[in-house]
Structures are given as structure tokens and as C-alpha cells.
Amino acid sequence: MIMRSHDVSRDPVGALLAEAFPYQHVLRADIAADLRRCPVLLIDPPNKSFFGNVVELAIGLALCDQSPYLDLLRCLDHALAKRVLTMAGYRPTIDPATPFDAWRRTDSAPPARIFTAASRLAYVRSLVNDLDRRRFDAGDVTRDLLERYPRLLIGRPTEIYHTRCAFRTAWDSYSSGFHSALRSYGPATAQLPLLDGHRHADFLLGTTLLEVKSGRLDEDTYLNELIRQILTYALLARHDGHHVTHVAVYAVRYQRLLRYPIIELTNQFAGAPIDLAVTGANLAALIRDRSRREPAA
């Protein structure tokens, strides 16, 4: 991949990854060929971003042994947060007043209840992300907005109905064997913060970093972004001290789970053995510097 000077100035992270790993196109071609052979789920949710968030959050609620997404739960009043966790199969370990970070999953929840819990959290996430982009104190402002306008957590009936239908199809596929496969990788941490929150990986399962993709992956643009994500997260996770041995992608729409040893993958991308510690440190410094230079909105 050749990057012109104006592209480098706009995207220094992409430039660093392209220089360190010039053979990313090999994996892109392999994934594209693999996915073309997969049976594609016939789903067309009205709001694809919302649907993707619901699927990811539902998987997190189903995989984690200890209550995940505490940053989102803290945006809700205590009673509602308790209902959300209870719907997803979590219970307090000591008494009902136990802080939510001590709640644990005690049983599997029916898909309809998982969907309701995940959709509530998806609306919270959407608010938080929008406010964060505007440089607000996202958590506090979201909490205040939801207290004043609780219907923000319900959404439009038609959107919820069609999203629920698409979710049911995706969840049937997920439950057919993908859940067991992901559980086999090890204990789950959802929304893993990297580099002091500058980036977040969807999941760390044991020593495997997992990205969940609910949308299309049938164009080079989508696959390039996917490869960039897994490279970035793997490098930052190791830089942060996480023992990461594999990266994985669960392509929901294509009913495919892909998993790669990180050392073999990065050596293939680089064309020779590469020092991941040095590359990760360079990437971390670049992201921190870029964050400091970003102008306030």
C-alpha cells in the first residue's frame, strides 16, 4: 500500500501501519475469498449502527461472567440498571445493594430479554458517543438527559420491531455454536480499554482479542478498516501489558469466526520477523500525540 504525502498527514496511524506491515493485502484477499463461500444471513435492519451495537452488547452480556459495560450502566438510575442486568441473567453476589461490578451471570437469559437489555444499553452508548464527540462530560450529561427524558431508552417502535427481527436471526446463528467457541477461548472482558481509553477493543477472551462485525465485509474498504483495527488493538494491548496471543473476528452476517496467531500474522504482514514491542510503542506515542493535537469542538 502506497500512501501519498497528503494522506500521511491526514492519517499518520494508517501510514505507520502501512510502512510496518506492507503485506496486509494478503490477509484481505484471504478473508474476502473465505467470506464469499459463507452462507450470508438475510438481515436488513433499518439502523445498521444501532443493530451492530445491540449485537455486540448482547454477546458481551452473554459471554461475561461478571457484569460488563459498567460505564453505560452508571448512566442509568440504580433501579433501571438493576433491571437491565437482571434481564441479562446477572445477580448480585451478596445482597441487592451490591455495586454492579460485583454482579455475576448466574444463568443464560432468553433471547428476547437479552435483546431488551442490549437495546437499552445501545441507546445509552449512542448518547455517550455523540456527547463525547462534542467534548461534553459524556457520562454526567447522559445521566441527566435520561433522567429528564426516559423515553430516549425506548426508541421508535418500528425501528425496534425490525431490529428485533434481525437480531432474532443473528442470535439463532450465534447460539448454534459460536457462543460455545468464544467461551472456549477463556474468560471474557468486554469493551477492553487500551492506551488509557484512547481505543477500545470489543473483547478480550483469555488471550484472544475479538472484534465483532455485524455489517458488510464485501468491499476492500471494509476489510482494510477491519485489518487496521485488529492490528491497532493487538499492538496496543501488548503495549499495555495484556498477554495477547491471537486476534479473532466474528463476522455475524457471514456466520464465520476467524482466528489468527498474532506473531505469525504480524510477521507475515511485515514480510519478516518484527519487534512488536517497538512497533506498539511507536503506535502508542503517535496516537497520544495525535489526541493532544486534536482541536476542541
Side-chain angles (χ1 to χ4, degrees):
M1 179 188 299
I2 299 174
M3 298 195 71
R4 302 180 188 280
S5 58
H6 62 277
D7 295 325
V8 170
S9 63
R10 283 203 306 257
D11 184 18
V13 171
L16 183 150
L17 294 175
E19 181 178 359
F21 304 107
Y23 299 106
Q24 298 174 41
H25 62 278
V26 176
L27 181 62
R28 184 185 68 209
D30 287 348
I31 294 177
D34 189 312
L35 296 184
R36 281 195 293 269
R37 295 190 292 268
C38 294
V40 180
L41 293 178
L42 300 178
I43 52 177
D44 188 25
N47 184 331
K48 293 175 176 55
S49 176
F50 175 66
F51 174 74
N53 274 322
V54 170
V55 170
E56 178 200 326
L57 292 162
I59 290 173
L61 291 169
L63 279 178
C64 292
D65 293 319
Q66 191 170 331
S67 52
Y69 308 118
L70 296 177
D71 59 329
L72 302 180
L73 290 168
R74 292 188 184 108
C75 294
L76 304 173
D77 68 65
H78 188 275
L80 180 53
K82 178 181 175 181
R83 287 200 299 273
V84 167
L85 281 178
T86 301
M87 275 191 293
Y90 290 82
R91 300 291 182 272
T93 54
I94 304 172
D95 61 67
T98 299
F100 293 127
D101 58 0
W103 284 44
R104 298 188 68 81
R105 184 165 48 80
T106 59
D107 51 33
S108 58
R113 299 183 72 184
I114 283 280
F115 173 81
T116 300
S119 63
R120 296 291 190 272
L121 293 180
Y123 281 123
V124 177
R125 176 183 278 182
S126 178
L127 273 173
V128 169
N129 288 344
D130 187 51
L131 291 167
D132 188 57
R133 283 192 293 269
R134 298 169 184 269
R135 298 296 194 272
F136 286 107
D137 188 345
D140 290 341
V141 177
T142 299
R143 191 177 302 108
D144 181 62
L145 282 172
L146 292 175
E147 286 177 0
R148 287 197 255 171
Y149 308 104
R151 290 192 62 82
L152 289 172
L153 284 176
I154 299 174
R156 297 189 300 275
T158 55
E159 179 177 80
I160 287 292
Y161 173 78
H162 291 294
T163 304
R164 186 186 294 273
C165 292
F167 176 82
R168 188 181 301 119
T169 299
W171 201 252
D172 285 345
S173 172
Y174 171 74
S175 302
S176 68
F178 294 107
H179 177 73
S180 297
L182 296 178
R183 288 283 291 172
S184 73
Y185 294 164
T189 299
Q191 198 66 10
L192 179 73
L194 301 172
L195 202 63
D196 299 324
H198 284 84
R199 296 290 186 276
H200 289 82
D202 287 348
F203 296 99
L204 177 63
L205 308 176
T207 62
T208 297
L209 276 177
L210 171 71
E211 280 299 297
V212 174
K213 292 298 179 187
S214 302
R216 293 167 48 195
L217 292 172
D218 55 355
E219 295 181 8
D220 285 352
T221 301
Y222 303 140
L223 292 174
N224 287 340
E225 180 59 26
L226 169 63
I227 292 169
R228 171 182 168 139
Q229 278 187 306
I230 61 177
L231 273 175
T232 299
Y233 297 155
L235 290 169
L236 294 182
R238 291 174 70 99
H239 177 73
D240 282 356
H242 297 288
H243 180 51
V244 175
T245 60
H246 292 74
V247 291
V249 178
Y250 174 36
V252 176
R253 181 182 294 266
Y254 301 87
Q255 304 186 86
R256 191 76 169 99
L257 178 59
L258 307 168
R259 186 168 180 250
Y260 308 97
I262 187 59
I263 297 296
E264 293 179 19
L265 188 67
T266 52
N267 285 349
Q268 181 188 42
F269 283 174
I274 189 169
D275 191 328
L276 294 185
V278 172
T279 308
N282 291 339
L283 178 63
L286 186 60
I287 291 173
R288 287 188 189 279
D289 181 65
R290 188 180 184 188
S291 178
R292 284 193 297 266
R293 292 170 181 268
E294 285 179 350

